[in-house]
Amino acid sequence: MVVVVIVALSRAAHSADMSEFADWSLRGANGALQLPGRLFVPPEATSEPRSRRPLIVFLHGSGEAGTDNANQVNGNIDSLLAEAKRRGAYLYAPQTTTDEWDGKTLTDNLMVMIDRAVVDENVDPGRLYVTGLSSGGGGVWNMLSRYPRRFAAALSISADTPAPDFVAGRLLGIPICAFHSRDDDTVPVGEDRNTVARVFAAAGVATPQYPSTNSNQYFLISDPNLASHRTYNDRVRQQHETMSFAITSTPLDLIYNELPNGGHGIWPAVYNSPAVYDWLFSHAVPNPCQATVAGDVACVSRREFRMWHPRVCGIRVR
C-alpha cells in the first residue's frame, strides 16, 4: 500500500517547464524531422567548462509518442529533472514517432544524438545513463543490447518486451536496475521476468522462484558481493518487507525489484527514490574512449571524434 500512496501523490506534481529544455532534434539534410528531442543543459556546463557532466537519457512511454517534441516533457520527467539539477547532469528526452523504441533506425538515430551531445556539449562519455518506462523500459533493454559498451548504468521500469534482435549475452557486466509490479495489468510482470530469465541464462544462472501473484512481499534479486548492491539492498530493506534472491560469482551486475502492488505506473515512486539515483550515479565506464561510437568507430578524443565520425558532425541540430 505504501507504493500506491506514493504513486498517487506523485501524479499530482506539475509538469516540467519546457523553457528549461533546448530543442535537441535530429533533422535530415532537407530539414525533415527524424527524431524530436529536448535537452536540459545544467548551469555547471557553462560555469565549469573544464568539468565533463553526466548525461541521463529518458525514454518515454507509448502515451507520449508523436512529433510535437513536447509530450515527452511532462510530469513523468519531473523527478529526473530535479535530480539532474541536483547533480549538475544533462537530461536528454527524445520522442519516438511510434509507440515503441524497438526500430534499429530509431535507436541508431538516438545514439547519433547522444554522440552529438558528447561532441558539442560538455558531456562525459563515461557517464551516460539510460532509463525508461513502459515501452521506454523495453527501449532500455534494446539500447543495452545494441550498444552494450556505451552506458555506465541503466534503469528500466515496467518494461515491455525487447525487440526480436535482443541478445541477452551482451548485457553481462552492465549495471542494470529493473522494476516491475506484480499487479501490472498493462505490461504483465511476466514480460520482465522473461527478459531477466534470458539474461540469467546467458550468465549460466538458474531462474529464481518468484513470489506468488498475491504475495505482499517486495522481491529483490541482487549480488551481495557487489558493494553497490549491498548499499542499495540495505536501503530497500529499511522500507520494505523483502524476499531476496542472491546471485553470486557471476558476470551479472543486475538488480531486479518486483513490487507487490502499484500497478503499471510505479515510475513516480522509483524516480523519487534517492537510493536509485545513488546506485545509478555510482557507476562509470572505466575506459570510455574504448567504447564504440554509434557502433562503428572508436572515440579517442573530442577532436578525433569530430574527424572520424562525420555522421555525427554532419547532422543538423535545431
Side-chain angles (χ1 to χ4, degrees):
M1 183 61 69
V2 173
V3 172
V4 176
V5 171
I6 292 174
V7 170
L9 291 174
S10 297
R11 283 176 177 165
H14 68 279
S15 295
D17 188 346
M18 187 71 70
S19 66
E20 296 187 90
F21 290 79
D23 188 348
W24 195 253
S25 299
L26 175 64
R27 296 180 181 274
N30 60 355
L33 183 64
Q34 295 180 344
L35 180 64
R38 297 279 175 180
L39 182 69
F40 167 75
V41 179
E44 291 87 344
T46 301
S47 62
E48 303 172 17
R50 294 183 179 274
S51 177
R52 293 288 193 96
R53 315 304 308 174
L55 171 68
I56 306 168
V57 180
F58 169 69
L59 306 183
H60 62 74
S62 60
E64 290 73 50
T67 58
D68 65 355
N69 203 15
N71 283 345
Q72 79 276 27
V73 183
N74 61 10
N76 292 337
I77 209 172
D78 281 354
S79 294
L80 281 173
L81 178 59
E83 192 66 19
K85 291 178 179 179
R86 192 170 80 84
R87 295 182 182 264
Y90 289 83
L91 175 58
Y92 171 42
Q95 182 184 34
T96 176
T97 57
T98 66
D99 289 342
E100 304 292 337
W101 292 94
D102 56 359
K104 185 62 164 57
T105 299
L106 170 63
T107 59
D108 280 349
N109 285 341
L110 175 54
M111 282 308 307
V112 165
M113 296 309 289
I114 293 171
D115 291 339
R116 185 62 185 259
V118 172
V119 172
D120 286 354
E121 297 292 333
N122 214 19
V123 169
D124 184 346
R127 292 186 290 168
L128 305 178
Y129 306 100
V130 60
T131 182
L133 56 90
S134 194
S135 65
V140 170
W141 293 119
N142 293 332
M143 295 298 289
L144 298 180
S145 173
R146 291 172 181 168
Y147 321 100
R149 294 186 292 166
R150 297 304 312 280
F151 297 98
L155 173 61
S156 174
I157 309 172
S158 305
D160 204 349
T161 305
D165 67 346
F166 177 75
V167 180
R170 294 175 180 169
L171 278 64
L172 302 185
I174 300 176
I176 306 166
C177 190
F179 289 80
H180 217 115
S181 173
R182 284 194 290 277
D183 66 349
D184 188 336
D185 57 6
T186 301
V187 178
V189 68
E191 301 288 349
D192 254 338
R193 287 184 179 183
N194 288 339
T195 303
V196 170
R198 294 169 67 179
V199 179
F200 273 25
V205 178
T207 302
Q209 180 67 43
Y210 287 98
S212 63
T213 54
N214 60 355
S215 171
N216 64 356
Q217 285 188 305
Y218 193 114
F219 185 62
L220 179 65
I221 298 175
S222 66
D223 184 350
N225 288 338
L226 299 178
S228 64
H229 288 217
R230 290 196 301 272
T231 300
Y232 179 85
N233 295 352
D234 289 345
R235 296 174 73 174
V236 169
R237 293 189 181 108
Q238 291 173 9
Q239 303 175 48
H240 305 281
E241 180 183 354
T242 304
M243 179 189 300
S244 299
F245 180 83
I247 49 174
T248 59
S249 303
T250 75
L252 294 176
D253 191 349
L254 171 68
I255 297 175
Y256 175 67
N257 303 262
E258 192 170 287
L259 285 62
N261 52 34
H264 186 54
I266 59 174
W267 44 85
V270 175
Y271 284 148
N272 280 337
S273 171
V276 167
Y277 294 113
D278 288 344
W279 172 86
L280 188 72
F281 284 94
S282 70
H283 297 91
V285 176
N287 298 300
C289 289
Q290 301 303 315
T292 57
V293 177
D296 53 10
V297 295
C299 170
V300 176
S301 70
R302 290 181 72 171
R303 178 177 177 274
E304 289 172 317
F305 184 79
R306 288 180 181 275
M307 294 171 59
W308 292 353
H309 201 23
R311 186 176 175 212
V312 170
C313 301
I315 63 174
R316 289 179 56 198
V317 177
R318 180 180 175 185

